Amino acid sequence: MAAALLSAGAAQAAPAPAGGGEPAPGCVQYAASWRYTHVGNGCDTAYRLTVEYADGTDVPCREAQPGTTVTFPGYGTGGNAVLGVRLCPSPSA
């Protein structure tokens, strides 16, 4: 599925989030719909990622291994939007 996501025309490179924070690298792409936001890691490194939404919805970070896709909530039917994907800090030990 990750290969399909990364080659899909609807996939977008992860832009810098509008609210600040470190953006995901360009090899991380996402495809958003009203129900799901699929984030594919096309990098050679695992990343902890989250999705930034226009309305400030807070979603937990998920780890994406190289070549995998992780799923977040979509933008819904209420006019929300996905602004981008950002990196999360490593969990504290």
Side-chain angles (χ1 to χ4, degrees):
M1 180 167 177
L5 172 68
L6 296 176
S7 64
Q12 301 175 27
E22 190 173 346
C27 51
V28 172
Q29 297 186 337
Y30 73 94
S33 72
W34 72 272
R35 190 165 185 188
Y36 299 111
T37 299
H38 300 285
V39 178
N41 182 359
C43 309
D44 293 332
T45 304
Y47 288 105
R48 287 180 38 81
L49 305 166
T50 191
V51 174
E52 184 176 22
Y53 298 90
D55 71 355
T57 299
D58 186 28
V59 294
C61 295
R62 304 214 35 219
E63 184 168 322
Q65 294 294 322
T68 64
T69 299
V70 292
T71 303
F72 293 92
Y75 49 76
T77 58
N80 199 8
V82 174
L83 300 177
V85 180
R86 62 183 172 143
L87 298 176
C88 296
S90 297
S92 31

